[in-house]
Structures are given as structure tokens and as C-alpha cells.
Amino acid sequence: LESEEAIGTQTSSRNSEVIHAGLYYATNSLKARLCVEGKHKLYAYCDAHHIDVVRCGKLIVATAEDEIPELERLQEQGRVNGVDDLVMLNAAGAKAREPQLTCVAALLSPSTGIFDSHGYMLALEGDLEAHGGMIAFHSPVLGIEGDGKDFVVQVGGEAPMTIRASLVVNSAGLGAIPLAHKIKGLDPAHIPEQHFAKGNYFTLSGRAPFKALIYPVPGKASLGLHYTRDLGGQGRFGPDVEWVDDIHYTVDKGRAAQFYDAIRRYWPALEDGDLQPGYAGVRPKIQKPGEPPHDFVIQGPDVHGLTGLINLFGIESPGLTSSLAIADDVAAK
């Protein structure tokens, strides 16, 4: 059941299209395990389905000496998480790889890449249909109630209907928490608070300056204002973090000033006027502003007590990279 007119029109289509290596996330967290597992599954899936992918690598850069310990911590965290290909580079080594880069040290992640997320989602849709599945578009879920044996799902939209289901997976992304509140019998204590962290992107006019992806050391709420590029070679910067009360995708061109300041720390050659408003996405956060990052929540009957119900909350980055591994976890539950 899909409330929109097509698949993947919200969070899934408004991101950096990066395949993450899995080095940032806390030891033994779902994000750490599922990102590393998902990365391998995703590369294999793209290869098998002829989806465009480039293992361009990523450099996480320290632009001041006091940031080097954070790179060392990330390298160790990556090792603990099973990311064993990370390489520390000095300033000369980083500049040899990326001549326009300015930094005092960098951590190289060779297994980071970019891919065609839209092609990926279309392949998943094709797999679903090939296995007898069907997607009903314009079909928002109005309510779910258990009758002791199955779930009765009330569906609105252009063709209202009632569906009886033995298994319900709430994977509604930005809508997962509001949907959970419509499930009769689900204790609200098991539903986290919802917070929206908008991420704005600015596109780069002119030639892309780097072959690899460039990331600063991460902040509390995001991985920093990083440089990525699409498969066509268009460079872009973002996302930033803008805590908002509702979902909207307008990019305020006035935010460009802070982009210039952040980017020039590792690319001083950026000139005024080179950045243009691009697009925005909204992260489905389950943490408040100022709190440390929360883990994915994949919640089954062992937690909430409703047989046949799986809730997915807080599936933000690295949700795209982790998606196939998340699916395996849901299937296992």
C-alpha cells in the first residue's frame, strides 16, 4: 500500500545516493551491522540487475590538527564494525589523490560508492511484481485493527477498501510514526517521538573538482556538509541540518552562505556564485535536536506483543545502503 502516486517519492528519492561503508556507527548497533551487510548485498544486487554504480571512494578530511584524533577514532570504529579497508593519508597523500583538496590528513574509504537509486527502486518493484506482488498507489492506510487472528486494514484514497492481513510491515518512512498511532492495540509507549531534520543540497556550477566523495569530520546530527556527485558528473554539496516542524522541500537560497564557509575549509577555490539551490530531503529522526544519534528501530512482536506486526522507525541514513539487510532482518522476525 503506497499513499503516493509512485514508489520512493520521499526520503528514498531525496538523498545523496551514496553506498556507505559502515564506519560511523556505534559498536553492535543495527546501523553498524546492517550498513556493512547491506553494502555488500547492494553492490551484488546492482551488479546482478545492471544498475549503474561507481566505487569512487570517499575521503573524510581533517582541516585542522585537532580533528586528526577524530579520524583515528573513525578508523578504529570502522575496524570494529568490520570495515577493514580504511587507509589514513597525510596531507601530501590526500592531495596526490585530489589535487584541489586542502586538508592536514584524510581517511580513505575505498568501498564507498554512488549508484542509481531510482534504478534500484525500479528493480525492486520489478522483483516484487515478478514474485506475484502488487502495489496499490494513492492508497493511504486510515487504520489497522486486530481481530485476534488477523489484521483488518482500512485503506482510503481513490478506491477505498478493507484488507485482511496476517502480516503487516509498517515501513512508511516519514509516515511510519503517524501510521503506528493508527494501529489499534499498539501501546503508544512503543512509538517514539517524531522529529524532522531537513537536509538541503546545493548544486555546483561548472566542472566537478573531485573524483572521490569528500566528507568533513561528522557532526552530531549529520555527516557534515559533504561533496558528492551524481553518475553524470554533476557535483553537489549537502545535506545540512535544518530542524523543521513539518515536511517541505523548498531550498532557501539564503542558506548558501553557511555552505560556502563550510566547503572552503577543504576547497578554498570555491568562488562566490558557484552554488545554486538544488533539492532537499527530510530525515525521519527519532532523536531531538542536540541528542546523540539514535539507532534504527526494527520492532517486532517480542517488543509490542502484536503477532504479525513489524514497525520500522528512524530509518534515516544509512537506510538506503542498509535496505536489503533491513529486509532480511524483517523477514527473519
Side-chain angles (χ1 to χ4, degrees):
L1 298 170
E2 170 58 66
S3 64
E4 304 300 319
E5 63 184 3
I7 60 168
T9 60
Q10 293 189 338
T11 315
S12 300
S13 63
R14 295 175 172 274
N15 53 59
S16 301
E17 296 189 301
V18 172
I19 300 178
H20 289 288
L23 59 103
Y24 293 103
Y25 314 108
T27 305
N28 296 324
S29 64
L30 286 177
K31 285 184 176 181
R33 176 174 64 82
L34 297 176
C35 184
V36 174
E37 290 178 9
K39 169 186 65 177
H40 297 301
K41 293 176 184 292
L42 188 51
Y43 275 124
Y45 188 91
C46 288
D47 183 58
H49 290 75
H50 308 290
I51 297 165
D52 289 340
V53 61
V54 178
R55 294 190 188 225
C56 54
K58 171 171 70 177
L59 290 172
I60 307 167
V61 299
T63 55
E65 294 290 338
D66 61 4
E67 291 179 339
I68 294 177
E70 178 64 9
L71 291 188
E72 294 170 341
R73 187 196 70 78
L74 286 173
Q75 185 177 30
E76 174 58 19
Q77 187 64 57
R79 185 194 65 77
V80 170
N81 292 353
V83 186
D84 56 7
D85 60 352
L86 301 172
V87 180
M88 191 70 73
L89 303 175
N90 60 19
K95 200 165 186 66
R97 298 183 67 92
E98 297 290 354
Q100 296 201 50
L101 181 64
T102 295
C103 66
V104 296
L107 184 61
L108 171 63
S109 171
S111 61
T112 299
I114 55 175
F115 78 121
D116 177 6
S117 63
H118 297 273
Y120 169 58
M121 290 188 285
L122 288 172
L124 291 175
E125 184 178 16
D127 282 351
L128 173 69
E129 292 172 347
H131 287 79
M134 173 187 289
I135 302 174
F137 296 106
H138 300 289
S139 300
V141 175
L142 304 180
I144 300 174
E145 183 175 356
D147 63 2
K149 182 180 178 183
D150 294 327
F151 292 100
V152 178
V153 183
Q154 299 293 336
V155 185
E158 298 174 351
M161 56 186 161
T162 300
I163 294 175
R164 181 176 294 275
S166 59
L167 175 64
V168 170
V169 180
N170 171 12
S171 58
L174 290 165
I177 289 173
L179 178 56
H181 284 289
K182 297 176 183 176
I183 301 174
K184 190 171 182 180
L186 178 62
D187 187 340
H190 298 306
I191 307 173
E193 287 186 24
Q194 176 125 312
H195 303 281
F196 297 137
K198 184 180 170 189
N200 300 278
Y201 293 83
F202 280 76
T203 57
L204 177 66
S205 302
R207 190 175 177 181
F210 307 112
K211 295 178 182 177
L213 310 184
I214 309 295
Y215 281 56
V217 294
K220 279 189 175 182
S222 79
L223 301 183
L225 273 177
H226 53 261
Y227 164 82
T228 63
R229 58 184 176 88
D230 62 23
L231 293 166
Q234 171 73 56
R236 60 191 173 207
F237 293 91
D240 62 356
V241 177
E242 179 187 358
W243 295 95
V244 294
D245 294 327
D246 52 25
I247 299 169
H248 63 94
Y249 300 112
T250 303
V251 178
D252 177 7
K253 63 181 181 180
R255 299 183 73 84
Q258 67 187 56
F259 274 70
Y260 281 104
D261 290 342
I263 295 162
R264 282 172 175 151
R265 293 187 65 192
Y266 58 83
W267 186 37
L270 178 66
E271 296 184 0
D272 290 342
D274 281 351
L275 299 180
Q276 304 298 324
Y279 61 98
V282 177
R283 307 169 181 88
K285 294 276 190 185
I286 52 175
Q287 73 200 56
K288 295 178 182 177
E291 286 186 342
H294 286 205
D295 201 6
F296 293 151
V297 174
I298 302 177
Q299 185 189 86
D302 57 319
V303 174
H304 54 59
L306 297 181
T307 301
L309 173 67
I310 308 290
N311 287 315
L312 283 80
F313 299 130
I315 310 297
E316 53 167 336
S317 182
L320 185 60
T321 302
S322 306
S323 52
L324 293 174
I326 291 173
D328 284 342
D329 251 37
V330 170
K333 285 183 180 293

